[in-house]
């Protein structure tokens, strides 16, 4: 192995004493491949098995905590106890390959397709449609907000019972937790809206509910992470400064890690912070070594991954790259980095063990993946 890649393969001990065998994480990515009833499919299991041998931690696609939180066709569910056997199958298949299995939990809010939620009624912090969407959600009542917070705790309990090593709270990518934090989507006048501090109430209450479930149900170290998007393009919207304040509070919540959602690891702020230095640097300065940060965003080669680690992030998440090259970690370990694939061909589906719905999305979404032929 090239000695300069050694940092990628060093183990990492988290705050709760869980140990990851290396610094490479399979990023959470929707694969659209579960059964309509929300149970995990064989194709999905095979896809995860193929990608779980090398990474230290595998974060699954998101799973909804309530029936009205389902954000994607072919998403697997975690909203009732009947889902525990399905969740268990996925956890076991990942862990058998030697990776930590972390279940990403979320509520889609106003981003849910109406045909996937009861009575076609989408909900959010306020009755504000997302930009470009013709679908206006209904504002949740205070009681409903409390029920959703409790549902995050209940889904965490199911994850523990199903044998996961942890959960990741999905507060990113415009879904419900972010909708409560954003001045674009949260116009509430109760305790869940108004000032920046009040807009943090829902995200922080979700963290508390998840941690309470862990305390009550987990018998061994159980990882709790939180994913966030640093900014929104909308005006008004979340600014880098808003996020730095949220991150400051989250850094003292006893979480095991934070995970920033970026398309480009080196991207710089749009507004609300010094635009000459990358967002990652702002975040690391604010976190001040209080907990690990996972960085992500168009990292493909081991050199790019090592450069990312050198900023001070504790882990790098690979998404599209581990779809194109499931043996990425093994090739780094074996000194075969020159053989790492960073493109895919239209003939590669079977070789890469990619379920049909995800494959169709890959080949029919121009610019998402580097498809050659």
């Amino acid at each position: 192995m090239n000695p300069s890649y050694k940092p990628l393969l060093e183990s990492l001990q988290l705050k709760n004493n869980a140990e990851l065998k290396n610094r490479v994480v399979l990023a959470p990515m929707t694969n659209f491949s579960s059964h309509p009833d929300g149970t995990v499919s064989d194709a999905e299991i095979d896809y995860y098995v193929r990608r779980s041998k090398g990474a230290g931690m595998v974060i699954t696609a998101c799973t909804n905590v309530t029936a009205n939180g389902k954000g994607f066709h072919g998403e697997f569910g975690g909203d009732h106890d009947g889902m525990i056997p399905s969740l268990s199958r996925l956890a076991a298949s990942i862990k058998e390959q030697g990776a930590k299995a972390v279940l990403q939990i979320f509520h889609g809010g106003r981003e849910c397709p109406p045909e996937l939620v009861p009575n076609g009624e989408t909900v959010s912090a306020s009755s504000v449609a997302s930009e470009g969407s013709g679908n206006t959600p209904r504002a949740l009542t205070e009681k409903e907000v409390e029920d959703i917070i409790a549902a995050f705790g209940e889904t965490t309990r199911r994850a523990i019972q199903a044998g996961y090593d942890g959960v990741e709270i999905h507060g990113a990518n415009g879904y419900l937790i972010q909708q409560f934090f954003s001045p674009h989507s949260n116009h509430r006048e109760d305790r869940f809206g108004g000032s920046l501090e009040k807009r943090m109430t829902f995200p922080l209450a979700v963290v508390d509910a998840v941690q309470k479930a862990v305390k009550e149900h987990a018998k061994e170290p159980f990882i709790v992470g939180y994913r966030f998007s640093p900014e929104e393009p909308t005006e008004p919207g979340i600014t880098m400064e808003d996020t730095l304040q949220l991150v400051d509070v989250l850094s003292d919540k006893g979480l095991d890690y934070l995970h920033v959602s970026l398309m480009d690891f080196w991207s710089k702020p749009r507004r609300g912070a010094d635009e000459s230095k990358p967002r990652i640097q702002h975040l690391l300065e604010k976190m001040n070594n209080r907990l690990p940060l996972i960085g992500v965003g168009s990292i493909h080669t081991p050199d790019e991954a090592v450069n990312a680690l050198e900023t001070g992030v504790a882990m790098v998440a690979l998404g599209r790259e581990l779809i194109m090259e499931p043996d990425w970690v093994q090739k780094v370990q074996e000194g075969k980095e020159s053989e790492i694939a960073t493109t895919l061909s239209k003939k590669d589906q079977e070789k890469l063990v990619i379920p049909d719905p995800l494959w169709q999305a890959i080949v029919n979404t121009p610019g998402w993946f580097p498809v050659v032929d």
Side-chain angles (χ1 to χ4, degrees):
M1 184 186 80
N2 181 332
S4 64
Y5 301 148
K6 223 172 126 200
L8 292 167
L9 301 175
E10 286 172 1
S11 64
L12 176 68
Q13 193 164 25
L14 299 177
K15 186 172 278 186
N16 69 357
N17 296 324
E19 190 163 312
L20 309 184
K21 66 182 179 185
N22 61 42
R23 305 305 178 100
V24 180
V25 176
L26 174 64
M29 286 176 297
T30 303
N31 55 60
F32 317 106
S33 303
S34 297
H35 296 303
D37 67 356
T39 54
V40 175
S41 66
D42 290 347
E44 223 168 348
I45 296 279
D46 294 344
Y47 162 86
Y48 277 105
V49 166
R50 183 70 188 87
R51 285 162 181 81
S52 300
K53 289 182 177 72
M57 182 162 78
V58 168
I59 306 170
T60 69
C62 52
T63 187
N64 48 298
V65 300
T66 62
N68 68 358
K70 187 167 185 172
F72 300 93
H73 288 270
E75 175 189 312
F76 61 92
D79 56 316
H80 60 85
D81 284 4
M83 288 300 178
I84 293 174
S86 161
L87 292 172
S88 297
R89 278 189 72 205
L90 181 55
S93 67
I94 293 168
K95 288 165 70 168
E96 279 162 11
Q97 310 308 312
K100 295 287 187 199
V102 172
L103 181 70
Q104 192 185 62
I105 55 176
F106 98 133
H107 188 297
R110 67 183 186 183
E111 299 301 323
C112 294
E115 67 273 18
L116 294 184
V117 295
N119 308 317
E121 183 182 61
T122 57
V123 294
S124 185
S126 299
S127 188
V128 180
S130 51
E131 290 217 324
S133 160
N135 174 39
T136 302
R138 174 177 67 75
L140 290 157
T141 66
E142 202 165 335
K143 167 77 169 70
E144 287 173 317
V145 177
E146 286 164 359
D147 288 345
I148 290 172
I149 292 165
F152 274 94
E154 281 292 278
T155 302
T156 301
R157 171 185 60 76
R158 292 179 196 114
I160 293 165
Q161 289 176 303
Y164 284 86
D165 296 297
V167 293
E168 178 173 278
I169 299 163
H170 192 358
N173 301 2
Y175 299 120
L176 187 66
I177 293 177
Q178 183 175 326
Q179 288 161 32
F180 268 87
F181 184 53
S182 169
H184 180 275
S185 41
N186 185 346
H187 298 176
R188 299 177 75 93
E189 292 175 358
D190 61 8
R191 64 195 175 93
F192 292 107
S195 66
L196 178 70
E197 286 70 27
K198 284 186 158 182
R199 293 199 313 274
M200 285 188 206
T201 305
F202 180 77
L204 297 175
V206 168
V207 172
D208 290 342
V210 167
Q211 289 178 322
K212 183 168 178 270
V214 171
K215 208 169 169 181
E216 287 174 10
H217 301 285
K219 306 276 189 288
E220 46 205 43
F222 191 82
I223 299 163
V224 179
Y226 185 102
R227 194 173 205 213
F228 62 94
S229 292
E231 295 184 77
E232 291 177 324
T234 53
E235 292 264 12
I238 295 167
T239 66
M240 196 69 212
E241 179 52 40
D242 294 341
T243 290
L244 291 172
Q245 290 193 51
L246 174 65
V247 160
D248 190 33
V249 177
L250 288 172
S251 295
D252 288 331
K253 290 292 283 182
L255 292 159
D256 290 294
Y257 69 82
L258 295 182
H259 184 182
V260 61
S261 180
L262 294 170
M263 281 303 285
D264 172 14
F265 182 92
W266 300 101
S267 61
K268 292 178 175 157
R270 280 192 191 90
R271 59 186 192 269
D274 178 352
E275 289 161 28
S276 68
K277 63 184 187 187
R279 290 163 167 156
I280 286 281
Q281 200 178 329
H282 285 285
L283 294 167
L284 288 165
E285 285 169 9
K286 181 58 76 177
M287 289 164 68
N288 193 21
N289 296 316
R290 284 178 280 174
L291 74 172
L293 178 64
I294 300 178
V296 70
S298 305
I299 296 168
H300 296 291
T301 67
D303 289 317
E304 289 168 346
V306 168
N307 288 345
L309 281 183
E310 283 170 355
T311 62
V313 298
M315 294 166 267
V316 288
L318 304 180
R320 289 167 295 178
E321 181 52 38
L322 281 179
I323 289 182
M324 297 185 288
E325 180 53 89
D327 298 319
W328 195 93
V329 175
Q330 296 91 311
K331 287 184 176 177
V332 172
Q333 281 169 324
E334 292 162 14
K336 295 180 179 171
E337 58 275 3
S338 61
E339 296 174 22
I340 287 175
T342 53
T343 60
L344 51 75
S345 128
K346 288 184 178 166
K347 299 188 274 293
D348 286 346
Q349 181 184 4
E350 200 173 318
K351 179 181 85 177
L352 295 175
V353 195
I354 297 174
D356 285 338
L358 176 57
W359 184 251
Q360 291 308 319
I362 288 170
V363 294
N364 294 313
T365 310
W368 186 28
F369 275 74
V371 180
V372 292
D373 27 43

